[in-house]
Amino acid sequence: MNGTDDKTEVRDYFNATGFDRWRRIYGDGDVNKVQLDIRAGHQQTVDTLLGWLRADGNLSGLTICDAGCGVGSLSIPLAQDGAILFSSDISEKMVGEGRERAVAAGLRDNPTFSVSDLEELTGSYHTVVCLDVLIHYPSDQAMDMIKHLASLAEHRLVLSFAPKTFLLTLLKKVGEFFPGPSKTTRAYQHREADIIRVLEGCGLMIERSAMTSTRFYFSRMLEAVRK
């Protein structure tokens, strides 16, 4: 399946059956054991990044693009901390849910939510973040996405991805990443060395990194800053 077809699959999935499934996973309602494990893993990634950004002590007024924002799990707490969020997702339903959750949290004008293909994003931001998105796309398209995101980042780009390691390659089947009722779109792994090479080619260097690994959730996160 080529990149365009993967993108269409992702958009259609998260606007249909995937929306209700992942809204529950990213919420606090009842889910099955697999979904609970994925929820915990994703939240650990979000919490790790929040810890990094808060430790810097400069969130107030900082412009952040949350590319692939989902239901606002990262955007909302960052906006509450005073950052200026521009949050987008390929799924109209996800964006709508994110906006509703922000309003429920007392946030009306910030974050700014929009429906957008990641590669159509424009503007310039201090920090660009893209969490748990690259897993949906093959490496050639993922690398192009990284280059585009890097062009939007004035100072920093933060990415998370499913790392391509010997162990995870053995385990890697879509049904094992997202078994049973949690099955989603195709799951792609990416070589960390390839991603670092692309980031360095864009004038960025790795500042911090983290790995989240649960039974069904594997995510490597890299923070790259301008040299």
Side-chain angles (χ1 to χ4, degrees):
M1 177 173 283
N2 62 37
T4 300
D5 288 334
D6 279 292
K7 190 177 297 184
T8 299
E9 181 179 317
V10 170
R11 180 185 292 108
D12 291 347
Y13 175 79
F14 283 102
N15 275 327
T17 58
F19 169 68
D20 288 331
R21 183 170 299 147
W22 287 92
R23 178 177 58 179
R24 291 196 303 273
I25 290 175
Y26 292 152
D28 55 9
D30 292 335
V31 291
N32 63 40
K33 292 182 179 179
V34 172
Q35 293 169 334
L36 184 62
D37 180 89
I38 295 171
R39 175 193 288 172
H42 175 75
Q43 190 59 49
Q44 183 177 330
T45 295
V46 169
D47 288 344
T48 296
L49 179 53
L50 287 172
W52 288 355
L53 300 182
R54 287 167 175 165
D56 291 344
N58 65 342
L59 272 176
S60 182
L62 204 70
T63 57
I64 300 177
C65 174
D66 186 2
C69 65
V71 298
S73 302
L74 176 67
S75 290
I76 291 171
L78 286 176
Q80 290 172 325
D81 284 348
I84 301 171
L85 269 294
F86 300 87
S87 309
S88 67
D89 199 277
I90 196 172
S91 165
E92 182 178 357
K93 285 194 172 182
M94 284 289 188
V95 167
E97 178 71 14
R99 187 178 290 113
E100 289 181 7
R101 292 189 183 194
V103 170
L107 303 169
R108 294 192 175 275
D109 300 320
N110 180 36
T112 298
F113 287 96
S114 67
V115 179
S116 178
D117 184 316
L118 185 151
E119 292 166 298
E120 294 176 350
L121 290 173
T122 60
S124 182
Y125 312 91
H126 178 279
T127 296
V128 176
V129 179
C130 185
L131 297 187
D132 293 351
V133 173
L134 298 178
I135 191 172
H136 299 300
Y137 300 100
S139 289
D140 56 347
Q141 189 175 10
M143 299 307 152
D144 286 341
M145 289 177 169
I146 292 171
K147 291 176 184 177
H148 179 67
L149 292 173
S151 74
L152 308 178
E154 297 172 352
H155 176 70
R156 172 173 50 200
L157 173 59
V158 182
L159 305 167
S160 73
F161 58 95
K164 191 175 182 64
T165 65
F166 177 73
L167 176 60
L168 293 183
T169 297
L170 292 178
L171 294 174
K172 197 271 181 188
K173 293 178 182 178
V174 173
E176 291 173 338
F177 270 97
F178 300 98
S182 294
K183 186 176 180 181
T184 180
T185 59
R186 297 167 189 264
Y188 294 96
Q189 296 167 275
H190 304 296
R191 297 184 187 279
E192 183 171 345
D194 293 341
I195 291 180
I196 291 176
R197 190 177 304 113
V198 170
L199 291 169
E200 290 178 343
C202 295
L204 297 160
M205 61 182 297
I206 304 303
E207 184 78 10
R208 289 178 281 203
S209 64
M211 179 71 196
T212 300
S213 179
T214 65
R215 187 176 179 186
F216 299 107
Y217 176 95
F218 308 93
S219 183
R220 180 70 164 164
M221 184 165 59
L222 301 176
E223 176 195 45
V225 299
R226 289 285 169 204
K227 297 179 181 178

